[in-house]
Amino acid sequence: MKVLINNKEYEFLEKTSLEEMAKTIGGKYYCARVNNRIRELSYRLETENAEVSFLDASDYDSVRIYEASLRYIVAMAVSRLWPKKNIRFSNSISMAIYAKIVGEEITENQIKELSKEVRKIIKGAYPIRRKSFTIEEMKEYYSSLGYTDKIETLKYRKEKVNVYEADGYRNYMYSYMVPDTSYIHSFKFTPMYPGFIIQYPRSEENGRIPKFKDEPRFLKTLASANSWSANTQSENIYQINDKFDDKDELIKFLGVCETIISHQLKEIGDKVYENIDTIRLIAIAGPSSSGKTTFSKRLEIELMSRNIHPIRISLDNYYLTNDKVPRDENGQLDFEDIRALKIKEFNKNMEDFIQGKRVRIPIFDFHTKTTSYSEPMTLQKDGVIIIEGIHALNDLMTASIAKERVFKIYIAPLSQRNIDNHNPISLTDQRLVRRIVRDMQFRNTPPEETLSMWKSVRRGEHKWIYPTMENADYIFNSELGYELPVLKKYAVSSLKGVENDSPYYILANKLLKFLKVFRSISDDAVPNYSIIREFIGGSIFEE
């Protein structure tokens, strides 16, 4: 059987596994792309003239498999050490996983003991094999481990369920797995009350474990989100799905989610009002599809209710013409780069506003790539300027303005909800679903085009947005617990149009599998002022 590996032809016997092929070419790989499909290394190739690309820890898809396999092994270690305990994984700071024992604090000695057991399992090189069991068999098994959250998710499955088994331990991580436990060579545990941080190699760091970066403000927001999800009994997806069976419960849940957003807006309004003699500029930034537009408009209303008079300005109006925009490493125009903006002009405009001068704001036309100017505007005595854009928190944008004059807000959907205790919802995937729906609804952009830009968008976020997060005076969580059930029908309809031979089929298929676990909800119950209306349409703020 002839196989093309990294553009070089090899010959193998039929039904040779990818793992065996990888040994031929050398290197550390965790999966492979075979004829445009991600495959586990245990996959046996039967296709003549197949094209194979082995993926290492510098690849995003490969690292996700590594991370899921690491979670599997950690959960396996907990079941060995403490059979009656369960572990819960969630999103965390510093590109890591946060883990805690459900219902109790884990001590430093226990963390060391757990780390030792994980390494023991890794050294054992236990094969991780996918096997099929009946629903009843898995209910009985999960019950013996106290995995009640896993049992609840089984009611959304059919008669059979596929799980992974290693040395008698069974679990499912909604992901492919590495062939055996010895593939997990690198991880680091760091205590963080009441649990611990798990660091692992990241594709953004070219396969290295990132240097730990403490992010206290971000961590505080995540803790608050975790508290909200616990108090509304919506930590796991089955709890949200169960609310669909009781109309009153569902309406209450939607109302609470929206009220949490309103409470955050009130907190910001209070902080600005208390310091209105000083603050003149409110800067809002966050990664793609965080809901910045709706948020800035609702903040404007919040401030007006306190007799504060805002002027809203988008940094998008300060783009340079294409001939002056810097290019990325591939020679493409890089609109994510801060140097694509008229930084000096922006600073001058803000200074003039604060000094009470009349200012004409640029208006950039994205179709003609030309700039016109507004009528002269003046900032009122009790007024503030609201600026919104991906670089709004960058100090260069406000270099000529005293720091106490600027109130910085970082916005992002920061979900602390899980599919089950062992499978946290990816914050990146949640934003990508938002963007796919918005692009299709408002820009007539097919999902393939959105998916094709996502890697570049993510690279820009890591370079320009995330480093400014801890500079914020307030971190705003724009996640709504009911949003994915609302977005599901729009996203699934779009993603199903991605053909099997598309280079973006892998990512589209992954999102479709992720959305399967949610029940759909009609968007009729979504308020017209909701942040989610920015993506599905029907917003009172639509222009």
Side-chain angles (χ1 to χ4, degrees):
M1 180 175 63
K2 293 179 180 179
V3 179
L4 195 65
I5 301 177
N6 300 336
N7 297 318
K8 184 178 179 181
E9 191 172 81
Y10 294 81
E11 286 192 359
F12 297 97
L13 295 174
E14 287 185 7
K15 297 186 178 181
T16 301
S17 73
L18 292 172
E19 184 180 21
E20 291 165 342
M21 292 181 185
K23 291 174 183 177
T24 302
I25 64 173
K28 287 184 178 179
Y29 306 105
Y30 307 105
C31 64
R33 185 177 288 108
V34 181
N35 294 341
N36 205 36
R37 297 288 297 271
I38 293 292
R39 299 291 188 185
E40 294 175 302
L41 293 182
S42 58
Y43 179 77
R44 295 190 174 276
L45 199 63
E46 299 179 10
T47 307
E48 178 72 3
N49 298 320
E51 291 188 22
V52 177
S53 296
F54 286 102
L55 306 177
D56 59 18
S58 65
D59 179 85
Y60 176 75
D61 291 306
S62 185
V63 166
R64 285 184 68 129
I65 290 173
Y66 184 103
E67 181 265 341
S69 301
L70 174 57
R71 276 189 282 119
Y72 179 96
I73 292 171
V74 173
M76 179 179 176
V78 169
S79 73
R80 285 185 165 196
L81 290 173
W82 312 298
K84 295 301 180 182
K85 297 183 190 294
N86 196 359
I87 191 168
R88 180 177 174 86
F89 303 106
S90 58
N91 297 295
S92 185
I93 62 174
S94 201
M95 296 191 287
I97 313 163
Y98 181 71
K100 67 178 181 180
I101 301 299
V102 176
E104 62 183 84
E105 177 187 352
I106 188 169
T107 66
E108 287 197 32
N109 284 337
Q110 286 176 317
I111 293 170
K112 289 177 182 177
E113 188 180 0
L114 181 60
S115 179
K116 185 178 179 180
E117 184 65 24
V118 168
R119 295 190 186 281
K120 183 179 176 182
I121 292 171
I122 291 170
K123 188 176 180 181
Y126 301 114
I128 303 176
R129 296 287 181 258
R130 184 164 52 178
K131 295 184 177 181
S132 182
F133 296 91
T134 66
I135 298 294
E136 290 306 314
E137 284 175 322
M138 286 312 300
K139 279 184 178 179
E140 184 178 347
Y141 178 77
Y142 282 153
S143 181
S144 70
L145 293 175
Y147 291 176
T148 55
D149 56 303
K150 296 274 188 182
I151 295 171
E152 289 292 334
T153 60
L154 289 175
K155 63 187 177 185
Y156 303 110
R157 307 297 294 272
K158 295 180 181 178
E159 292 182 1
K160 292 278 187 178
V161 57
N162 292 323
V163 299
Y164 287 89
E165 186 173 80
D167 194 37
Y169 176 76
R170 301 172 196 163
N171 207 341
Y172 189 70
M173 294 298 181
Y174 293 87
S175 169
Y176 286 150
M177 293 279 121
V178 293
D180 67 60
T181 57
S182 69
Y183 275 72
I184 305 304
H185 55 84
S186 184
F187 67 92
K188 185 179 179 182
F189 290 173
T190 303
M192 182 170 284
Y193 177 84
F196 59 103
I197 294 290
I198 304 174
Q199 290 181 278
Y200 58 95
R202 298 283 301 207
S203 58
E204 298 92 342
E205 299 291 324
N206 202 30
R208 295 184 294 272
I209 293 179
K211 183 179 178 181
F212 182 79
K213 181 182 177 184
D214 194 17
E215 297 168 336
R217 292 185 179 180
F218 186 61
L219 184 62
K220 182 181 178 182
T221 305
L222 289 180
S224 181
N226 188 58
S227 177
W228 292 337
S229 60
N231 291 338
T232 55
Q233 296 183 324
S234 59
E235 292 177 287
N236 293 330
I237 296 309
Y238 78 85
Q239 294 174 304
I240 297 175
N241 285 342
D242 284 352
K243 295 181 190 300
F244 288 52
D245 297 326
D246 186 322
K247 183 180 178 182
D248 287 342
E249 281 300 309
L250 183 60
I251 291 171
K252 288 176 186 176
F253 179 59
L254 266 66
V256 169
C257 291
E258 291 293 345
T259 303
I260 288 168
I261 295 290
S262 297
H263 280 174
Q264 293 180 87
L265 282 160
K266 181 183 181 300
E267 285 181 347
I268 295 171
D270 289 343
K271 289 177 183 290
V272 174
Y273 182 75
E274 289 165 7
N275 298 279
I276 193 58
D277 291 338
T278 304
I279 296 172
R280 283 296 173 268
L281 193 64
I282 299 176
I284 303 168
S288 174
S289 302
S290 292
K292 293 185 287 292
T293 302
T294 301
F295 167 71
S296 64
K297 291 177 179 179
R298 287 186 63 177
L299 179 59
E300 182 180 14
I301 294 169
E302 187 73 31
L303 296 174
M304 289 173 67
S305 72
R306 289 167 169 77
N307 206 27
I308 298 171
H309 303 92
I311 295 174
R312 275 193 312 110
I313 297 172
S314 172
L315 285 181
D316 288 353
N317 285 319
Y318 285 85
Y319 270 114
L320 294 164
T321 52
N322 283 7
D323 59 314
K324 295 178 182 177
V325 171
R327 294 182 180 272
D328 61 20
E329 63 273 15
N330 299 316
Q332 301 297 315
L333 292 174
D334 189 358
F335 293 101
E336 307 287 328
D337 195 314
I338 193 170
R339 294 171 298 172
L341 298 174
K342 301 171 183 175
I343 300 173
K344 288 184 178 179
E345 182 177 346
F346 177 79
N347 271 271
K348 180 67 166 60
N349 284 168
M350 297 306 105
E351 279 186 280
D352 288 347
F353 267 129
I354 292 171
Q355 291 172 12
K357 297 179 181 179
R358 288 159 63 83
V359 180
R360 291 165 61 91
I361 295 298
I363 302 170
F364 187 77
D365 189 316
F366 281 86
H367 295 290
T368 63
K369 300 296 188 290
T370 58
T371 298
S372 59
Y373 285 85
S374 70
E375 292 297 316
M377 295 186 290
T378 306
L379 186 65
Q380 295 187 38
K381 183 180 178 181
D382 289 329
V384 293
I385 307 156
I386 298 176
I387 63 167
E388 176 255 310
I390 64 172
H391 296 295
L393 302 191
N394 194 304
D395 288 339
L396 287 175
M397 297 308 302
T398 52
S400 62
I401 302 167
K403 288 188 176 181
E404 62 269 19
R405 291 291 213 182
V406 185
F407 187 86
K408 295 183 175 182
I409 302 170
Y410 176 88
I411 176 174
L414 304 173
S415 173
Q416 286 292 278
R417 304 177 206 277
N418 288 26
I419 295 174
D420 56 46
N421 283 338
H422 298 163
N423 291 277
I425 292 174
S426 164
L427 303 181
T428 301
D429 286 350
Q430 188 160 349
R431 285 192 298 109
L432 179 53
V433 169
R434 281 183 172 192
R435 180 156 175 158
I436 288 168
V437 173
R438 183 201 66 189
D439 285 358
M440 195 68 183
Q441 291 291 105
F442 293 103
R443 303 176 183 179
N444 200 29
T445 301
E448 282 184 279
E449 189 172 332
T450 301
L451 295 172
S452 71
M453 296 185 294
W454 192 239
K455 188 175 181 180
S456 173
V457 169
R458 293 282 293 142
R459 185 170 61 246
E461 291 170 351
H462 279 280
K463 183 175 182 180
W464 298 109
I465 298 177
Y466 297 141
T468 67
M469 178 176 60
E470 281 295 310
N471 297 333
D473 297 291
Y474 193 99
I475 295 179
F476 186 94
N477 183 1
S478 66
E479 187 259 357
L480 287 145
Y482 70 85
E483 68 179 78
L484 287 167
V486 171
L487 294 169
K488 177 178 177 176
K489 64 176 178 289
Y490 295 98
V492 168
S493 176
S494 294
L495 290 166
K496 280 186 175 179
V498 179
E499 300 292 340
N500 288 17
D501 58 353
S502 166
Y504 307 106
Y505 176 78
I506 293 170
L507 183 51
N509 193 49
K510 177 173 74 71
L511 292 174
L512 282 170
K513 287 182 178 179
F514 161 62
L515 290 166
K516 267 186 181 180
V517 299
F518 297 91
R519 290 173 68 176
S520 288
I521 179 176
S522 169
D523 51 17
D524 292 343
V526 181
N528 60 8
Y529 55 81
S530 175
I531 283 174
I532 297 309
R533 287 288 180 187
E534 184 173 322
F535 305 96
I536 64 174
S539 173
I540 197 171
F541 301 115
E542 281 178 27
E543 296 178 0

